[in-house]
Amino acid sequence: MKYDFTTIPDRSHTDSVKWDVKPGELPMWIADMDFKTAPEIIAAMKDKVNLGAFGYEWPKDDYFNAVADWYEQEHGHRPKTDWMIFTTGVVPAISSIVRRIAHIGDNVLVQEPFYNVFYNSIENNGRHVLSNDLQFDGSSYQIDWKDLEKKLALPLTTLMIFCNPHNPIGKVWTRDEVQRVADLCHKHHVTLLSDEIHGDLVREGDSYTPAFSVAGAARQSIISLVSPSKTFNVAALHAATAIVPNKNLRDMVNRGINSDEVSEPNLLAIPATIAAYGKGHEWLAQLKEQLRKNFVFVDDFIKKNIPDVKVIHGRATYLIWLDVAKITDDSTALANYIRKETGLIVSAGSVYRGNGHDFLRLNLACPMKMVQDGMHRLEKGIASFNK
Ligand SMILES: Cc1ncc(COP(=O)(O)O)c(C=O)c1O
């Protein structure tokens, strides 16, 4: 491989959230990667730092064209640059949009189990979480369409947050599913906020469907949120883009993002995003190759050595969703036990609500040797928990 996916950057004694651990602990929970980002991005950042003058900035055509080029080349759909708004992160944008689009006390529709931070964006702003629970049949999740339409039709439902692809289950929604969700939202005058931060990380099969690419009138009710953050391991860059085809809706989102002061780039946001989207294609292809190897290893390892655990197969993200229902329905207790006994830190599925209490989520975006270490600890922890 041209790029290095075997070295773990030493982030201990840095300000890393993930690596703020006790000696011997192995963090495989929060969604950032134990790979260095693409050297092309690091070079662009160094050039900027070498400039030495860091006054106020504003993204221009080269930034928005880089976003459009990336979506055209990677996903086959080119958003118009005048649909785009820069923002300092996906979660800041979600919180701002919740405040701007949904009134206090309104329902914000989600699909549990769901990325936990969304609950903060909704509940901390005095809005109500309403879930169209994903239906689990023992091996995969499906949307309950009847329930979705019933909940979208409620007069108090004004916003739906759609995780596309879905964290934590790793599911890539088909084009038909994305279109159907968008059509139903439009029919019931509900704005569809599609979080596409994991969209570049489809490991197998067809690309995901950006919500801004849906056909027909439904496009008027859509906000897509995209970012290089997960794709290139640059979460601390705090750079994201809202893509909003409808001008009125875009003006409202823009007003919120400005009033909430989450609209201004830091010194590295523009050059690093342009480098990522302009020069990151090959790095991403190699990353996905490494991720596929990691997923195959984990799948085999669990089948052979931890048969009580079931891998739920998703095509996207570097997060793996493990069904531990045969062992416990209290995944928080299990995750705490595994950490205490083996030092392995995983996410308890309960934080994602829904049926998450039966699951663990593990982050496989790390070199194979770390994946192997994690699997041996998981095996040991589960064996002694079972006793
Ligand atoms: C679905 C999803 N949205 C948003 C975020 C965080 O986005 P940001 O760091 O841009 O606020 C994450 C991080 O794990 C995520 O999984």
Side-chain angles (χ1 to χ4, degrees):
M1 283 208 208
K2 176 174 161 194
Y3 297 108
D4 178 6
F5 293 101
T6 52
T7 311
I8 303 174
D10 182 6
R11 287 190 282 163
S12 52
H13 313 297
T14 68
D15 298 312
S16 163
V17 173
K18 188 180 204 174
W19 283 95
D20 186 10
V21 295
K22 296 193 202 104
E25 285 189 326
L26 187 71
M28 293 179 76
W29 64 287
I30 197 169
D32 70 27
M33 305 201 246
D34 283 296
F35 299 123
K36 270 195 182 182
T37 191
E40 292 82 357
I41 300 176
I42 299 171
M45 289 178 167
K46 282 185 176 159
D47 281 352
K48 183 60 185 282
V49 169
N50 286 340
L51 183 66
F54 308 119
Y56 297 111
E57 297 189 1
W58 203 237
K60 300 226 181 40
D61 286 352
D62 53 352
Y63 174 92
F64 296 113
N65 281 322
V67 179
D69 290 347
W70 177 262
Y71 278 83
E72 183 171 13
Q73 286 173 47
E74 288 286 326
H75 306 294
H77 296 279
R78 187 178 183 85
K80 291 192 178 157
T81 51
D82 58 12
W83 294 351
M84 297 179 193
I85 304 166
F86 174 86
T87 180
T88 56
V90 168
V91 168
I94 289 178
S95 293
S96 174
I97 290 164
V98 164
R99 286 189 288 271
R100 191 55 49 170
I101 303 293
H103 292 238
I104 288 178
D106 279 4
N107 296 325
V108 178
L109 196 62
V110 303
Q111 295 176 305
E112 297 180 5
F114 207 50
Y115 174 54
N116 53 317
V117 177
F118 293 150
Y119 300 121
N120 303 342
S121 296
I122 300 167
E123 291 167 348
N124 292 348
N125 286 302
R127 277 71 176 171
H128 177 242
V129 172
L130 182 66
S131 177
N132 163 234
D133 286 358
L134 294 173
Q135 301 300 302
F136 185 58
D137 64 8
S139 57
S140 69
Y141 287 86
Q142 308 298 334
I143 294 175
D144 177 344
W145 294 100
K146 236 172 117 183
D147 179 72
L148 175 63
E149 176 143 29
K150 197 176 93 198
K151 287 173 176 163
L152 286 172
L154 295 173
L156 280 181
T157 306
T158 43
L159 181 66
M160 172 170 179
I161 306 179
F162 185 47
C163 203
N164 173 31
H166 192 96
N167 174 12
I169 67 170
K171 181 152 179 151
V172 181
W173 306 109
T174 63
R175 170 156 288 278
D176 284 352
E177 286 168 330
V178 176
Q179 184 72 50
R180 196 166 167 191
V181 170
D183 286 340
L184 285 172
C185 283
H186 189 67
K187 176 176 168 193
H188 294 288
H189 311 287
V190 172
T191 299
L192 181 62
L193 175 52
S194 175
D195 177 332
E196 300 174 11
I197 201 167
H198 294 281
D200 298 323
L201 295 167
V202 178
R203 303 182 313 273
E204 300 154 20
D206 292 343
S207 161
Y208 89 110
T209 302
F212 64 76
S213 75
V214 297
R219 193 182 277 190
Q220 298 309 312
S221 304
I222 280 182
I223 304 165
S224 285
L225 293 176
V226 304
S227 167
S229 161
K230 300 287 153 200
T231 316
F232 293 101
N233 201 23
V234 289
L237 190 64
H238 296 291
T241 306
I243 303 178
V244 195
N246 176 329
K247 180 165 184 326
N248 287 339
L249 184 56
R250 187 165 65 246
D251 287 347
M252 283 164 77
V253 171
N254 200 19
R255 189 63 264 139
I257 281 173
N258 274 277
S259 304
D260 291 337
E261 307 295 356
V262 289
S263 64
E264 285 190 36
N266 65 62
L267 76 160
L268 299 176
I270 297 175
T273 303
I274 292 174
Y277 284 158
K279 299 178 180 162
H281 297 277
E282 195 181 338
W283 188 89
L284 174 60
Q286 291 190 13
L287 167 72
K288 288 197 274 192
E289 202 176 313
Q290 183 62 49
L291 293 178
R292 282 191 287 273
K293 287 182 192 154
N294 291 358
F295 274 75
V296 167
F297 173 83
V298 167
D299 206 20
D300 289 348
F301 185 94
I302 289 182
K303 266 196 204 112
K304 280 191 201 118
N305 303 298
I306 332 179
D308 282 350
V309 174
K310 190 166 168 188
V311 173
I312 303 307
H313 293 275
R315 292 198 289 117
T317 80
Y318 46 70
L319 307 163
I320 196 162
W321 189 234
L322 300 178
D323 182 349
V324 295
K326 273 200 182 156
I327 300 159
T328 181
D329 64 359
D330 183 355
S331 58
T332 304
L334 180 60
N336 290 342
Y337 182 86
I338 292 170
R339 180 171 188 173
K340 194 166 94 336
E341 288 299 307
T342 74
L344 174 66
I345 310 174
V346 302
S347 302
S350 7
V351 301
Y352 308 103
R353 304 189 189 172
N355 71 344
H357 52 80
D358 284 344
F359 294 82
L360 297 177
R361 193 194 77 170
L362 259 81
N363 178 342
L364 301 188
C366 51
M368 181 61 92
K369 59 178 184 279
M370 183 166 157
V371 174
Q372 291 169 338
D373 184 2
M375 281 303 108
H376 287 113
R377 293 181 197 224
L378 185 70
E379 180 186 8
K380 189 170 151 224
I382 288 189
S384 75
F385 185 86
N386 270 338
K387 276 188 199 141

